[in-house]
């Protein structure tokens, strides 16, 4: 079993090699400039690597990019093996990164919360307290109550 530092270095190398090869070496039109490699993880035994990517575009472009990456997997793996110089080149698995969709969902939820807060602020603009402004007793109030008895 390899140490975590070695797996991290190999993951970083795989990310760089795959990104450079996609940018300059693969002539597949499905893998245009809209595919971005976001992260890479390697198992502890250095046998399997998961490459996370994002595609900027609609669902059709995402499906086409996934098919393009699957077809270019062998070329990319051989390029990684050439650059890494390890005994066994890890198999590559490409996974669509859900981070952009999650971030967009969080932004939408925050916008809805801001709109809800604005509505509450508008509704409470002319409101007054039902009783006193400060409903809690204070120690000085207790002293005045004791002397009046």
């Amino acid at each position: 079993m390899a140490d975590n530092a070695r797996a991290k270095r190999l993951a970083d190398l795989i990310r760089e090699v795959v990104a450079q090869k996609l940018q300059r070496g693969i002539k597949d039109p499905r893998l245009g400039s809209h595919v971005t490699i976001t992260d890479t993880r390697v198992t502890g035994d250095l046998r399997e690597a998961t490459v996370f990517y994002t595609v900027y575009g609609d669902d059709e472009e995402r499906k086409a990019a996934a098919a393009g990456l699957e077809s270019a997997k062998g070329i990319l793996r051989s390029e990684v093996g050439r650059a890494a110089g390890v005994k066994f080149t890890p198999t590559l698995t490409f996974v669509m990164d859900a981070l952009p969709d999650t971030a967009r969902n969080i932004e939408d939820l925050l916008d809805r919360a801001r709109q809800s807060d604005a509505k509450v602020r508008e509704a409470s603009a002319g409101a007054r307290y039902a009783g006193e402004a400060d409903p809690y007793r204070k120690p000085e109030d207790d002293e005045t109550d004791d002397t009046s008895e």
Side-chain angles (χ1 to χ4, degrees):
M1 174 131 320
D3 61 353
N4 288 337
R6 185 172 180 198
K8 176 75 173 132
R9 283 193 311 268
L10 183 60
D12 291 342
L13 178 72
I14 290 171
R15 186 182 70 238
E16 290 175 16
V17 168
V18 170
Q20 287 176 356
K21 191 68 175 171
L22 285 176
Q23 188 177 28
R24 294 190 204 118
I26 306 286
K27 302 271 190 278
D28 194 341
R30 299 174 290 186
L31 300 174
S33 61
H34 54 276
V35 175
T36 304
I37 304 300
T38 56
D39 192 19
T40 306
R41 295 189 187 140
V42 177
T43 58
D45 61 356
L46 307 179
R47 295 284 185 162
E48 298 175 12
T50 304
V51 180
F52 295 92
Y53 67 96
T54 59
V55 178
Y56 296 104
D58 58 359
D59 287 336
E60 297 271 333
E61 291 175 341
R62 289 179 183 161
K63 289 177 185 175
L69 285 170
E70 283 299 315
S71 69
K73 188 184 288 189
I75 296 169
L76 294 171
R77 184 173 180 222
S78 64
E79 193 67 29
V80 166
R82 194 173 299 122
V86 292
K87 184 176 182 179
F88 180 80
T89 303
T91 59
L92 301 178
T93 305
F94 292 97
V95 176
M96 176 71 84
D97 196 355
L99 185 66
D101 293 334
T102 304
R104 192 175 312 115
N105 187 23
I106 289 174
E107 284 297 323
D108 292 342
L109 291 172
L110 288 173
D111 287 339
R112 287 180 25 206
R114 283 186 202 103
Q115 291 171 357
S116 176
D117 287 348
K119 287 179 184 177
V120 169
R121 213 173 297 118
E122 287 175 13
S124 66
R128 296 184 324 157
Y129 293 106
E132 298 176 23
D134 188 9
Y136 299 104
R137 286 188 164 180
K138 296 185 180 42
E140 57 269 4
D141 292 342
D142 290 338
E143 292 173 8
T144 56
D145 289 343
D146 292 340
T147 57
S148 64
E149 291 181 13

